[in-house]
Amino acid sequence: MGVCSSKIVEKEFSSVPVVKPGLKRGTTVMHTLGDSAQVADLGSKLVNQAEDMDREMDGSVPLLALVAHDNMKGMMKQFALVHKALLKDFRLTGTGTTCKMLSSIGLQPVGQTKSGPLGGDQEIGAMICREELQGIFFFRDPLSAHAHIADIEALMRLADCYQVYHCTNYRSAAAVLTVMHDRLKTAAHGGVRRSVALPEGVAGLKQLTEDPQAASAPEVAAVPA
C-alpha cells in the first residue's frame, strides 16, 4: 500500500465515532484463563463468569449493540419501533446503517461501528473484551452466504466466552430485552434482579459448581434483592 493509500485509510478510520467505555469493571473470571490448568476447568469458569456479568451490571446503564444483515434490516426496524419504549432506557450502539435507522425513529445511539464486512463485528467484539457491552441483538440472514462469516463466528464466540446476552432472531431478542428492562427497573428502585437463577440456599454459582448436591433443592429462584 502506498503512502497516499495509507493516509486515506488512516483518515477513514479516524473519523469513526468511538463508543465511550462504561463503568470501570474489576477483574472478572475470563481474565483468569491464562494457562491450560485453568482452561481445563472452563465449564465452572464460564458459569461463574455469567454471575460476574450480572453483578457488574448493577448500578450501570447497560450498553446494547444492534446489528442486522441487509435482508434483516426491515425486521430490525420493526423490532426497534415495537420496543422503542424499552430500548430508550439503554445505551445503544451498532453498525452504521442500523444506528442511522435508530436515529431516524428517535433513539440516540452513543456511537457506531463500521459495517460488518469492514470490521464492525470485530469492533463490537473488542467492546465485549473490554467488558463495555452487555448484550447483542444480531439479526443474521440465515439464507445468504457472508464474506465475513469468520468475523461473525468470532463475535458469537466472544459473547459465549464473556457470557454476554446475544440473540439472533426477533423472538429471542424480544424476550431478552424484556427481561433486561424488567431487571433495570427493579435495580432503579433499589433492588437487585439477576438473570442467573439459583436453587434455594445456594449463595452463588461457585458454590453450585463445587458442590453439585446443592442443585438438588426443588425450589429455584433468582438471587434475592
Side-chain angles (χ1 to χ4, degrees):
M1 181 180 291
V3 175
C4 181
S5 298
S6 298
K7 289 183 178 179
I8 291 174
V9 171
E10 182 179 355
K11 180 179 180 181
E12 177 71 16
F13 279 86
S14 66
S15 65
V16 177
V18 176
V19 177
K20 295 181 179 179
L23 296 180
K24 178 69 175 178
R25 296 183 182 279
T27 300
T28 57
V29 173
M30 288 308 297
H31 293 110
T32 69
L33 299 180
D35 57 50
S36 57
Q38 292 168 327
V39 174
D41 193 28
L42 183 59
S44 296
K45 296 286 186 181
L46 290 179
V47 292
N48 290 329
Q49 174 70 15
E51 191 174 30
D52 276 355
M53 289 300 289
D54 264 354
R55 186 180 302 108
E56 292 286 353
M57 283 173 59
D58 292 338
S60 65
V61 178
L63 177 64
L64 304 179
L66 276 64
V67 184
H69 286 149
D70 289 345
N71 290 337
M72 309 300 287
K73 293 190 186 301
M75 179 182 285
M76 178 60 80
K77 184 172 184 179
Q78 183 68 18
F79 175 82
L81 285 168
V82 170
H83 298 91
K84 181 178 176 180
L86 304 186
L87 289 170
K88 68 180 179 61
D89 290 333
F90 293 86
R91 294 183 300 134
L92 304 175
T93 187
T95 50
T97 305
T98 301
C99 284
K100 288 179 182 177
M101 178 274 293
L102 294 174
S103 296
S104 74
I105 64 172
L107 295 169
Q108 299 300 322
V110 297
Q112 66 184 48
T113 70
K114 291 284 189 182
S115 67
L118 295 180
D121 296 336
Q122 294 186 18
E123 289 185 81
I124 294 172
M127 294 179 205
I128 294 177
C129 292
R130 294 193 297 266
E131 298 185 356
E132 300 167 2
L133 193 68
Q134 285 74 49
I136 309 169
F137 298 157
F138 192 159
F139 289 2
R140 296 184 290 177
D141 179 354
L143 301 179
S144 300
H146 306 288
H148 61 302
I149 186 63
D151 293 350
I152 298 170
E153 291 175 346
L155 177 60
M156 298 298 99
R157 186 184 69 81
L158 286 175
D160 289 339
C161 284
Y162 286 86
Q163 295 295 293
V164 170
Y165 292 109
H166 71 286
C167 306
T168 58
N169 62 66
Y170 191 106
R171 295 182 68 213
S172 58
V176 167
L177 178 62
T178 300
V179 170
M180 290 186 74
H181 191 267
D182 187 38
R183 178 180 177 279
L184 195 64
K185 290 192 299 182
T186 301
H189 288 86
V192 177
R193 177 171 181 169
R194 306 199 188 285
S195 60
V196 178
L198 298 171
E200 291 289 343
V202 176
L205 286 172
K206 183 176 181 181
Q207 176 187 346
L208 189 61
T209 54
E210 291 177 349
D211 178 17
Q213 294 301 317
S216 61
E219 298 287 334
V220 177
V223 174

